[in-house]
Amino acid sequence: MSSTVRATLTKVCEFLLTTLLVSFFTFAAFSIIPGDPARIMLGTEASEEQVEQLRVELGLNEPLAERYVKWLDNAFRGDFGTSLSFNTSVGDLISSRLPVTLGMSLIALIIVLLVSFPMAAICSKRPGKPLDKALSCAGHILFAIPPFALSMMLILFSANVLGIFTAGRYTAPSVNFGSYLSSLLLPSFCIALPKIAMTFKFLRASMIEYSQGDFVRTAKSHGLTDLRIMMKHIIPNSMVSSVTVISLVLSDIMGGSLIVEQVFNLPGLGRLLLTSIARRDFPLLSGIVFYLALITVILYFLADLISALIDPRIRDRRNV
Amino acid sequence: MKYKGNILEVNNLTLSLLDKNGVPVTILNDLTFHLRSGEILGLIGDSGSGKTMTALAISGLLNDFAHIDSGEILFEEEDLVKKAPRERRRLLGEKIGVIFQDPSSALDPLQTVESNLQEVLSIRNCSKEESRERILRMLATVGFEDPEDIAKRYPHRLSGGQRQRVLIAGAALMNPTLLIADEPTSSLDTVTSMSIMHLLHEMSHEMGISILFISHNLSAVRNFCDRVMVMKEGTIIDSDTSWDIMGQPKSAFTADLLMKSRLDPKTLGISRGKTNPDGPVVLEATRLTSSYRYKDVRRNKTNAVIKNINFKIHEGELVGLIGSSGCGKTTLVKTILGLLKPSSGEVSHEGRIAAVFQDPVSSLNPAHTVRWHLREALKASGRVISKEEQTAYFISILEDVGLTGKHLYRFPHQMSGGQRQKAAIAMCLVQEPSFIIADEPFSALDASSQASIIKLLSDINKERGTTMLIVSHNLQVIRAMCSNVLVMDKGSIVEAGFTDDVLENPSAEATKALIEAGEYGG
């Protein structure tokens, strides 16, 4: 068996193991927290019999391990149970809300990358010069504004002044993909802005470091123009160190969508999560938390794969 | 058509560099020299004399802190100082090639050798097939036996010497009229550096390339350069044909530099360590094998870097370990120190081992003072010294290594290379080791610092009786200070014994090659 295949398989096994652990901890967390879910759901007015009946219905009387295996078995088939407050399958609920959050996160990521890479490249060219200072300062300000404040300012500005956006209007991608995208654009922008600042700061530092590096000097001595050196050497090298940061940013973006969905009144996972907490809807809550955790694990897995793809040294190290 | 006459004329060049507070400091002072077409001109001087700044000024690679105040640099009779940055960059790709001192990070780690070299040809509108063919031919020219394999490799899978060859191939691919070589061999071992110099010499003659060869080692350029200039504090103080300058240096400074670079044991005041074949064994390696596994697209192989190593070192001995680069010296050191797990065999040692490494810049933590480093070393050794006595103790150790109490509160960046290496040695002494391993402890330093570190290590061996293993590619040093010698080649110890026996009557081919290279360059 070739060592590349073996290394990839190891990585996949690690990924599966992490997912399993995540699922267990999600499940255990909701079982261990104090309070009887059945009692909380039914309220203090309900009689003991009613609570007991619900406990049986939810399978709360069985031992934790048994319940976990059952839950896992169901989850494996995509069945996370039935939401108590919506009375529909948790899986259906999540999959109807996922396009909003995922779409928004992806658009936000694209905006982050499209803006921060050129910005960092420009600043790293002449660090400490007025343009660098101005852009860095703008980055700090963006970083400091809380997303909800930014969202509200943007809504007011775009709806009232520009008149191009109606807050709270959402079209499903299956209905009209164009208006789906346009309804997500502004919220994505709100999530992206603070993250641009973060990614930019990191990229700028690593690009400055690389642009003073020895291999850049070699490339200059080979007569390459600054633009080609940037594209061929500096950007790919700073990609290696930024892949991890970008995956962190992306999982942060997913988390950040919670508030923005609320402000923009979008039917995403974040809002569903808030609802499930408010209504003590445990099957739904554990389903969403598991999904979010799974997405994060997938992101880190992808980040690892991508950095190995870019950097031959990581590929070699992995096989040692 | 190559240019006739003076290919390069530097006239009254004055250059200043902004220091930390933004105050300009003059680095090059009224520098004037010329380079004839097809000539190899050596530029020699201690570190900080302005050699590298000269190279950077000519090549147009100065950073933002440097400023040319006055003077002109005429390349083929055109003043480079007056040219626009874009034009200068184009000139770099077409007519002026540069190779630098440290090849370790001079290639883009994310790209194969071929891709790294391809950029030279890409600005010349070469077709893919043509450029591939030219790259392979050039790799063969610079001495690679299997160019196809090298072209596919990534830089981290090449040794220092191989990387420098690739960089030379890059410079030669553009077929320049002028090649600026800034200490191209000083981070390489003697055998490799000799072959690199041979290569440059050949290229100069066959392709008619003029070379400005910068080095801090006078004797190394003796057989290589047509003319030599000695530089001190930004001006040329001595200039002659290389033979005359070596034979009868005109200035006292040149004579001193020459003496230091020869590392003569008498002038250094060192004598050879004592052999102790009947004493207790301090370090013993038995059938030691260490290997790296790495991925290869075609063959999935494990590479044994050191194979079946056996040796004993007795108490108080000063043992030299020599061998060309890539022979496994550093792997052996790492295995002895326990940084690498041997794949088979074992190392046993008595007492504590301490280590000094080649590069004092990266082996000290830039965020902490010397005092912190000494305390860490003390903690690691498990010795306990009360807080009150620590300072006095540390100062006494620093004085032992030739530093003073004021260095206790210095950060690594506030000291010179030699001082940093002394601090690293002080860290060893604090641990009261029975055994010190020094892996190329001089090679990153300039001639004067080298001399002081050699003397220091030799004194520690004599006065404290500390057993030592010194890895070096400098045969003169080993000859002068070591009692015993181990010679490594291709991962095995090919010869071992008393210094005289090994170096006067070498039996292994590898030893003979090292001795020959030492006589040529040194």
Side-chain angles (χ1 to χ4, degrees):
Chain A
M1 186 165 59
S2 116
S3 55
T4 327
V5 174
R6 200 173 47 219
T8 318
L9 278 181
T10 324
K11 209 74 215 147
V12 171
C13 288
E14 270 172 35
F15 164 68
L16 289 176
L17 188 69
T18 321
T19 315
L20 205 64
L21 284 174
V22 164
S23 78
F24 178 73
F25 285 117
T26 326
F27 187 81
F30 288 113
S31 310
I32 290 166
I33 45 174
D36 182 354
R39 168 62 71 190
I40 296 169
M41 278 176 225
L42 294 172
T44 42
E45 304 290 304
S47 68
E48 278 305 315
E49 288 83 58
Q50 282 174 306
V51 173
E52 191 51 37
Q53 198 192 337
L54 187 62
R55 284 188 67 86
V56 174
E57 224 173 89
L58 294 173
L60 289 174
N61 289 338
E62 290 156 42
L64 179 67
E66 209 166 292
R67 271 157 50 211
Y68 172 64
V69 170
K70 208 164 164 189
W71 182 81
L72 191 68
D73 182 39
N74 286 332
F76 206 65
R77 281 179 268 136
D79 178 11
F80 290 91
T82 310
S83 157
L84 300 170
S85 50
F86 290 88
N87 226 349
T88 39
S89 123
V90 170
D92 285 352
L93 269 175
I94 292 176
S95 59
S96 73
R97 303 296 184 93
L98 207 55
V100 180
T101 309
L102 271 188
M104 211 159 65
S105 303
L106 278 180
I107 298 172
L109 180 70
I110 292 168
I111 297 175
V112 168
L113 295 182
L114 281 183
V115 178
S116 56
F117 263 98
M119 225 166 107
I122 292 166
C123 288
S124 70
K125 226 175 149 248
R126 298 202 166 276
K129 290 277 148 51
L131 185 63
D132 172 39
K133 281 187 177 154
L135 285 175
S136 297
C137 178
H140 282 292
I141 292 172
L142 285 179
F143 193 51
I145 303 176
F148 69 87
L150 192 69
S151 308
M152 290 200 271
M153 288 195 301
L154 272 180
I155 291 176
L156 285 176
F157 181 71
S158 57
N160 294 354
V161 180
L162 301 175
I164 50 163
F165 179 80
T166 324
R169 197 194 57 199
Y170 168 75
T171 319
S174 50
V175 177
N176 186 337
F177 196 72
S179 38
Y180 161 70
L181 284 184
S182 72
S183 61
L184 292 185
L185 201 60
L186 199 58
S188 308
F189 198 61
C190 289
I191 306 175
L193 280 181
K195 307 298 166 207
I196 286 174
M198 204 170 127
T199 319
F200 155 74
K201 224 170 133 55
F202 183 85
L203 280 175
R204 175 182 170 274
S206 82
M207 282 183 186
I208 288 175
E209 192 189 321
Y210 285 117
S211 58
Q212 290 159 351
D214 283 355
F215 57 82
V216 167
R217 191 178 56 182
T218 307
K220 281 181 183 169
S221 80
H222 287 165
L224 261 62
T225 57
D226 284 346
L227 184 67
R228 286 217 39 198
I229 292 175
M230 180 59 80
M231 301 308 278
K232 192 183 171 190
H233 297 290
I234 299 178
I235 288 184
N237 272 283
S238 47
M239 280 289 275
V240 177
S241 40
S242 14
V243 166
T244 323
V245 173
I246 289 170
S247 73
L248 280 173
V249 164
L250 190 54
S251 63
D252 234 28
I253 285 176
M254 302 271 302
S257 67
L258 202 126
I259 292 162
V260 173
E261 277 169 19
Q262 201 68 14
V263 176
F264 279 88
N265 199 21
L266 287 171
L269 266 190
R271 269 187 64 201
L272 195 62
L273 184 70
L274 287 181
T275 316
S276 68
I277 295 171
R279 298 192 191 168
R280 306 284 190 274
D281 190 343
F282 281 99
L284 183 57
L285 185 55
S286 53
I288 298 172
V289 170
F290 175 69
Y291 249 96
L292 289 177
L294 184 68
I295 289 170
T296 312
V297 176
I298 292 175
L299 284 179
Y300 290 168
F301 174 67
L302 286 179
D304 272 1
L305 280 188
I306 291 172
S307 47
L309 212 63
I310 309 177
D311 193 341
R313 289 166 299 180
I314 296 176
R315 290 204 292 277
D316 272 11
R317 216 175 298 148
R318 210 161 268 169
N319 295 323
V320 170
Chain B
M1 173 68 191
K2 293 287 177 189
Y3 193 81
K4 303 268 180 255
N6 287 345
I7 188 156
L8 182 73
E9 266 182 55
V10 174
N11 294 322
N12 312 93
L13 185 70
T14 301
L15 179 144
S16 56
L17 204 59
L18 294 181
D19 71 359
K20 266 185 297 187
N21 308 318
V23 182
V25 178
T26 305
I27 301 293
L28 298 180
N29 195 358
D30 206 18
L31 182 71
T32 302
F33 69 90
H34 64 275
L35 173 61
R36 297 185 197 110
S37 183
E39 184 183 42
I40 304 181
L41 175 65
L43 181 59
I44 316 290
D46 256 335
S47 57
S49 58
K51 295 172 310 208
T52 296
M53 278 299 150
T54 311
L56 294 177
I58 297 167
S59 55
L61 293 172
L62 289 170
N63 64 20
D64 293 343
F65 299 105
H67 183 253
I68 293 177
D69 301 319
S70 63
E72 50 181 17
I73 303 171
L74 299 176
F75 175 72
E76 299 185 346
E77 287 176 356
E78 276 184 276
D79 191 358
L80 296 181
V81 180
K82 293 201 185 89
K83 273 191 189 295
R86 271 188 89 88
E87 274 181 76
R88 299 207 63 181
R89 186 67 64 80
R90 201 176 311 132
L91 211 53
L92 267 181
E94 284 169 4
K95 288 185 166 172
I96 303 180
V98 194
I99 38 179
F100 300 97
Q101 175 171 15
D102 182 10
S104 62
S105 51
L107 290 164
D108 188 336
L110 304 186
Q111 307 198 4
T112 59
V113 167
E114 182 173 350
S115 170
N116 264 296
L117 293 180
Q118 211 270 326
E119 66 188 25
V120 183
L121 299 170
S122 69
I123 50 172
R124 305 188 138 66
N125 301 321
C126 252
S127 75
K128 229 178 165 170
E129 291 75 35
E130 195 197 337
S131 65
R132 188 175 156 72
E133 197 191 315
R134 280 180 67 180
I135 287 168
L136 291 179
R137 230 183 311 140
M138 188 52 78
L139 286 174
T141 309
V142 297
F144 287 115
E145 281 168 12
D146 187 357
E148 302 237 357
D149 175 51
I150 295 291
K152 268 184 244 158
R153 286 208 206 176
Y154 286 96
H156 71 281
R157 296 262 304 276
L158 301 174
S159 71
Q162 287 174 322
R163 281 180 217 179
Q164 195 62 291
R165 277 171 200 273
V166 169
L167 288 162
I168 291 175
L173 269 176
M174 62 176 86
N175 197 10
T177 44
L178 170 65
L179 181 66
I180 302 169
D182 185 5
E183 308 239 11
T185 61
S186 60
S187 61
L188 307 174
D189 70 71
T190 333
V191 176
T192 317
S193 90
M194 185 175 78
S195 67
I196 297 275
M197 292 210 284
H198 267 310
L199 173 65
L200 289 174
H201 200 258
E202 238 166 65
M203 278 172 32
S204 161
H205 279 248
E206 276 163 24
M207 303 162 85
I209 304 173
S210 322
I211 299 180
L212 177 64
F213 186 84
I214 296 173
S215 176
H216 63 245
N217 192 337
L218 255 177
S219 52
V221 298
R222 182 179 54 201
N223 298 323
F224 176 65
C225 296
D226 302 314
R227 247 174 352 117
V228 177
M229 303 182 300
V230 179
M231 198 168 187
K232 187 191 176 189
E233 285 160 16
T235 33
I236 305 289
I237 57 161
D238 215 348
S239 160
D240 213 331
T241 61
S242 51
W243 207 249
D244 286 339
I245 233 171
M246 299 297 160
Q248 296 158 313
K250 281 184 235 162
S251 69
F253 180 76
T254 311
D256 187 47
L257 201 64
L258 194 62
M259 196 182 71
K260 276 182 191 151
S261 67
R262 279 191 183 131
L263 295 174
D264 186 25
K266 272 192 213 106
T267 45
L268 286 177
I270 57 168
S271 59
R272 207 175 266 178
K274 288 198 171 51
T275 60
N276 187 12
D278 304 319
V281 175
V282 179
L283 183 91
E284 181 170 11
T286 345
R287 292 189 303 282
L288 197 62
T289 299
S290 227
S291 49
Y292 289 108
R293 253 198 307 160
Y294 66 84
K295 192 184 72 177
D296 193 302
V297 187
R298 286 162 304 162
R299 311 151 266 188
N300 179 21
K301 62 181 176 186
T302 7
N303 218 19
V305 182
I306 54 172
K307 288 168 287 213
N308 201 11
I309 299 255
N310 293 296
F311 66 85
K312 280 182 194 161
I313 293 177
H314 303 93
E315 193 175 271
E317 285 180 340
L318 208 175
V319 182
L321 175 64
I322 54 175
S324 60
S325 72
C327 75
K329 291 178 306 221
T330 298
T331 307
L332 178 59
V333 168
K334 280 186 182 167
T335 314
I336 295 173
L337 289 173
L339 298 174
L340 257 183
K341 226 179 120 195
S343 26
S344 67
E346 60 176 58
V347 199
S348 58
H349 58 84
E350 293 291 322
R352 230 191 139 66
I353 299 188
V356 182
F357 294 101
Q358 176 171 16
D359 183 2
V361 182
S362 53
S363 51
L364 298 178
N365 186 333
H368 293 284
T369 59
V370 171
R371 186 193 167 85
W372 180 88
H373 284 92
L374 294 178
R375 277 174 59 178
E376 284 292 299
L378 193 67
K379 259 190 257 168
S381 71
R383 293 174 61 206
V384 182
I385 292 178
S386 70
K387 274 217 162 119
E388 298 76 43
E389 289 164 29
Q390 259 182 23
T391 308
Y393 174 66
F394 288 156
I395 291 174
S396 77
I397 291 280
L398 285 182
E399 279 165 359
D400 284 352
V401 299
L403 297 173
T404 59
K406 67 179 183 200
H407 292 103
L408 200 55
Y409 297 100
R410 292 259 170 99
F411 286 94
H413 70 271
Q414 294 168 325
M415 302 190 292
S416 72
Q419 288 171 338
R420 277 192 286 248
Q421 197 61 294
K422 283 176 183 168
I425 293 173
M427 279 174 72
C428 280
L429 294 184
V430 161
Q431 304 177 45
E432 294 205 327
S434 55
F435 191 74
I436 293 181
I437 297 186
D439 187 3
E440 301 271 4
F442 340 104
S443 61
L445 308 173
D446 66 39
S448 335
S449 312
Q450 276 193 9
S452 64
I453 298 290
I454 291 166
K455 173 111 174 61
L456 175 61
L457 288 175
S458 172
D459 287 349
I460 289 172
N461 170 257
K462 269 199 206 74
E463 285 159 21
R464 298 176 178 246
T466 314
T467 319
M468 266 184 219
L469 177 67
I470 294 191
V471 181
S472 176
H473 59 250
N474 193 324
L475 218 66
Q476 284 170 296
V477 177
I478 297 292
R479 196 194 297 265
M481 68 191 291
C482 293
S483 57
N484 302 53
V485 176
L486 301 169
V487 185
M488 264 184 102
D489 186 39
K490 298 193 182 98
S492 306
I493 290 191
V494 291
E495 207 162 348
F498 298 130
T499 308
D500 274 337
D501 296 349
V502 174
L503 296 185
E504 302 312 322
N505 297 305
S507 58
E509 281 308 312
T511 321
K512 286 177 193 161
L514 283 167
I515 292 171
E516 192 195 330
E519 274 160 12
Y520 178 89

